Amino acid sequence: MQLPELDLDDTTPVFVISVAAQLAGMHPQTLRQYDRIGLVQPDRARGRGRRYSARDVAVLREVQRLSQDEGVSLAGIKRILELESQVAALQARVRELGTELERARRAAGPGSRVFAATPSGDIVSVVAGRRPARSAFGVGSALVVWRPQG
């Protein structure tokens, strides 16, 4: 008999509450409490039973470490977890934007031009990566580059 291929990663909810509690070194009632206050949000099975992923177990271990070793309150831990989630989302967005920028640079090709406005409102073409001639902008002026979206 051939077993089907399983597509499991660290976010796949596979552990029932008793197993997750044992892996995290906690009592199942503690996991229920953490679920109620929003420290961890396990998936739910059809019968509404909680299913924890390996990532959930790692979060529970971190909650325990912060609480017991560092003396952080549960409210503080919740805020730390929220901020870590925001940082991860922002890092992913930075990677996305970097990829998009690199793709735009390749599409523009070498020697592509950008445009700038002089203090008098004139538009001048500027080679990307080069400073404009001083005569175009005058002393003490700033160059602002506009890149349309889309």
Side-chain angles (χ1 to χ4, degrees):
M1 177 169 124
Q2 177 136 358
L3 295 175
E5 289 286 321
L6 297 176
D7 186 23
L8 301 176
D9 62 15
D10 66 339
T11 63
T12 305
V14 293
F15 305 115
V16 295
I17 192 168
S18 60
V19 173
Q22 186 176 16
L23 291 171
M26 300 177 177
H27 192 279
Q29 194 60 40
T30 304
L31 272 64
R32 289 183 187 94
Q33 179 64 25
Y34 288 174
D35 183 11
R36 276 193 288 280
I37 62 176
L39 286 177
V40 67
Q41 287 97 20
D43 282 359
R44 299 287 181 156
R46 284 189 191 170
R48 301 285 300 149
R50 293 169 176 86
R51 293 294 183 270
Y52 293 84
S53 67
R55 182 175 291 163
D56 292 331
V57 172
V59 168
L60 290 167
R61 287 179 178 167
E62 181 65 4
V63 167
Q64 185 173 28
R65 186 192 69 76
L66 288 169
S67 176
Q68 292 180 355
D69 298 346
E70 305 295 331
V72 180
S73 70
L74 292 180
I77 292 170
K78 184 174 182 180
R79 185 67 180 139
I80 289 169
L81 294 176
E82 289 168 353
L83 290 171
E84 286 178 345
S85 177
Q86 287 177 0
V87 166
L90 289 170
Q91 287 172 334
R93 182 65 177 140
V94 166
R95 284 189 300 274
E96 254 178 51
L97 291 172
T99 301
E100 186 178 319
L101 178 60
E102 189 55 38
R103 187 177 23 238
R105 282 184 180 156
R106 281 194 304 270
S112 64
R113 297 188 171 274
V114 294
F115 297 91
T118 66
S120 63
D122 294 329
I123 304 297
V124 294
S125 176
V126 182
V127 176
R130 294 208 178 170
R131 291 187 175 270
R134 278 196 175 267
S135 61
F137 290 95
V139 178
S141 59
L143 170 67
V144 178
V145 178
W146 175 73
R147 291 187 179 103
Q149 300 234 344

